[in-house]
Amino acid sequence: MNQQGYVAAPPYSQAQPGMGGYQAGYGASPTQPLYGHYGGPPQVFNAPPPGMLKSPVSLAAGMPSPPVSTQYNTNAHQNGAHPQRHPAPPTAAAPYGQPPQSVYNSVASPGPPPAQQLTNQMSAMNLGSYAQGSMQSSPATNSMAQQPFQAAPPPAVGQPQMPQSPQSPYMSPTQPPHMSPTQPPHMSPTQPPHMSPTQPPHMSPTQPPPASMPIASPPMAAMGRPFPGPPPPGPGGFQQPGPGPAGQPGFPQQAGQFGGYMSGPQPNMPGAFPGAPAAMGGPPQKKLDPDSIPSITQVIEYDQVNRGGQSFSTNIRGQVPPLVTSDFTVEDQGNASPRFIRCTTYSLPCTSELAKQCQVPLAAIIKPFATLPKSERPLYVVNHGDTGPVRCNRCKAYMCPYMQFIDGGRRFHCGFCNCVNEVPVFYFQHLDHVGRRVDFYERPELSLGSYEFIATMDYCKNNKPPNPPAYIFMIDVSYSNIKSGLVKLICDELKTLLEKLPREEGMENSAIKVGFITYNKVLHFYNVKSALAQPQMMVVSDTAEMFVPLLDGFLVNYQESRAVIYNLLDQIPDMFADTTESETVFAPVIQAGVEAFKAAECSGKLFIFHSSMPTAEAPGKLKNRDDKKLVNTEKEKTLFQPQKGVYEQLSKECVTHGCCVDLFLFPSQYVDLATMADVPSHTGGSVYKYNNFQLERDGEHFLRDLRKDVQKNIGFDGIMRVRTSTGFRATDFFGAIYMNNTTDIEMAAVDSSKAVTVEFKHDDTLNEETGALVQCALLYTTISGQRRLRVHNLSLNCSSQLSEMYKSCETDSLINFFAKSAYRAILNQPLKNVREILVSQTAHMLACYRKNCASPSAASQLILPDAMKVFPVYINSLMKTAPLVGSTELSTDDRAHQRMSVMAMGVEDTQLLLYPRLIPLHNMDMRSEAPPVPVRCSEERLTDSGMFLLENGHSMFLWLGEASPPDLIQGLFNVPSLAHLQGHMCALPELDNPMSRKVRSIISDLLEKRPNSMKLQIVRQRDKPEMLFRQFLVEDKGLHGGASYVDFLCYVHREIRQLLT
């Protein structure tokens, strides 16, 4: 093991419990670490013999000894809580029934403070970055700071690097890069001080951010050294390794925050608790500069500067698209737009052996109904009349640009299965001198990556055309919903919202029919036939045998029955004004919707507005099973599992009849969301949740969600199949979908924000010349009742070089896949195992890159592939999300809700969720049209006199520093100072000044752009609600456990070194 530049301070060089490769802190270290691959057999790396995990090294010559300050000392803040902001009680974690440990559970075991460990371990551990060329050797680094910059300088640490430059080792942390600590942290990255923006040494968008850097320090309490014992076998997503040998002797284990193990405080060990005495003398060292490690904001900005505002043509196979965060226009020239399909890598390894070796999951994230910007043309619709679309006879792939015409145009060769097919007479066309059909550009299916076919009767149920879909609004009129004013709010909103039902391009009115039901313990159906003067109500009290009491007049055309519907919506709040009924039913409500669609022979969507756990005697009655004692135990997974039986059967029925369920929940306590959301999560539906709903505080937020939901672009009664060329196939599917067999993805509805993640596995060797092809075909019913086929095609490269595969990776897609895999795995495995597998696979992917693709360099260097350099930030953020954190402080329903929401998310939504935007507003250029550039998601970027907007697509905060200038506060809130600000403000007052207009415009643009509404929460620095805001600063330590980004990087680096030795 090359020890160059790696200094082991006393805690490293003595075998301490919890240190040697984090046995105690991360579970016992098996002598043979096994790495479970998603679906592949575990890989075995021969580990060094016990006792060799870390060769003890004394302080290297010329190295300052470790600092005295502890982690929480004022001089050594390390991405954690600033003591003066939130003094941490010494044993905050004690109430969880675990050994006392620091509030943020940052350190897996006592050790030197992270800042110092980082500097120790990374002192000369440089970050080598991967570009195209080979890497220079590490000694070059220290001279870097003094050298004048040549044409393509090796980037400073934490900093972009020119694409043509070779792999560059990163600067040593003891010589921090060009940003002095006195410089204000909120500086705009576009123009650093004293340097020209075109060639700045430090933070310029014109150079890609760094791919590698120096590293150290034990993070998360008990992340678990990969596989401390034989975990239970778990299906899909996470392959379990066989039992490894038990841990090495002499490493006692104690329970830790993540259900893992953590060593207790030990005498003379610094930093076990905030304020623990540090027993190590010597002058303090400079701490690692967070600017020296890869930054997501820089990666995003670099991509926007270099690829934003441009046209992306899809005529090249295996082309990596711009990031989801960049603004670009797509020109479809034979491959589907990245808005419809993104891949984890655009160059597949040729063999399954290579795929297993690198462990990079091969997957596509497909969003068949993605919204296209106005600058891009909608999909062409191809109509072949009664004959229907031309397909391959053998594999049934649809005609697409990958079919090759031969024999003068009389036959075509299928690119998917290599079968040669006769061209139907009506479809025949001559070939030109290069063998291409002369009507190539006139037929979308020959020249474009995405298009639609009009389906024939063969593609319709019972061989007859479908009816237009229907929307049924089902309102819970129990006591709490009436009392809160919710029922009146919904009825008033529906009067205007029904005018805006989605309609086909060019049609004056929507073809969607509407119906209304109210319910508590019984169901009330309404006849709103246009001929009636007054709506009629019919009550069904037998909830066990649900039926629809009227056929004619229940589902109506809104335009025709508008007067009767208005009348009904006025009456409903008064009709139930004096209700005392607090019990509700739930499953019969969904059943009623399915029966109505069955009777009308149409598909559609149910909008259910529900308040509490269904406890009335009826099918689907639920009981409280929330048990905080299960958190951090083997049985914690049961909290996420829906109760079997009624709801399972209901999901199946809904999908069969094209009935999608959207659930709007207004709970004041636990409602067993894992079970109640089961039907929406299998029918392409969404779940919206408003805890302790209050009209004035949450009303507008709820209405924004409802409006977006009703007006979404959507298709019904969908069935999707993903075909691939020979050599690999789709094996696993994640999304708000139902799988009746292993190939057909059934969706009662699919809308513009729903995505399906598909994993691929090899079943043969792939060919570098022909590449790999994917075709996604979705058969669905439009909002006007027409049956159509939507086809998206994508061609990928294949390579026998792992470096090509790593170069073509897309981090944002990878994290989407990992999030969904992990969130599915927690249904079957303890959280601890899932977190361990995440870390282990991250280390494995990066170790394989280091071993096979990077130039030789010191072991102390952390070298990351350029395309994956910020992957560790996302993985660490994922492990700090509510579903994966074992904390009794988090509500079980909220955890289940986030788990289910993520399963249907597209790439841009998971990217934003796991790395929120933190936008400085106090130093905006009022004249500029562009919104301010976001800064890194860390407390270190906040300033006492600053104002920041944070949003992640689900939550939005306006954070005000305690020293905010009075004129800023006056301009935004019309009050003289922060002290006068009212709590619970959820919107900014409309004031006529540039600051107010600009901030409100930024907020409304974000609310417009995101698929969900977000409630604005205004928090003042050092106020109690600020804790809620802090959990979104994902580069810092987690409030409920979890490491800071710096600490996590150090841990991953250790894991990589362990694998490489």
Side-chain angles (χ1 to χ4, degrees), residues 940-961:
E940 301 199 344
R941 306 290 149 171
L942 303 176
T943 53
D944 289 359
S945 58
M947 174 170 76
F948 292 82
L949 184 71
L950 181 142
E951 59 104 15
N952 71 349
H954 294 263
S955 306
M956 182 184 270
F957 294 89
L958 184 60
W959 181 91
L960 305 164

Side-chain angles (χ1 to χ4, degrees), residues 114-123 174 285-288:
Q116 164 225 324
Q117 289 170 339
L118 269 166
T119 328
N120 289 351
Q121 186 173 354
M122 291 171 138
S123 50
T174 43
Q285 284 175 306
K286 289 179 188 164
K287 73 173 190 169
L288 180 80

Side-chain angles (χ1 to χ4, degrees), residues 33 61 87 185 244 274 291 308 311 444 465 490 498 511 544 598 603 695 722 859 888 908 932-933 946 986 1053:
D291 286 324
S311 175
I490 294 169
L498 292 174
K598 254 196 236 177
S603 50
L695 199 62
V722 178
T888 49
E908 53 277 55
V933 176
C986 51
H1053 181 51

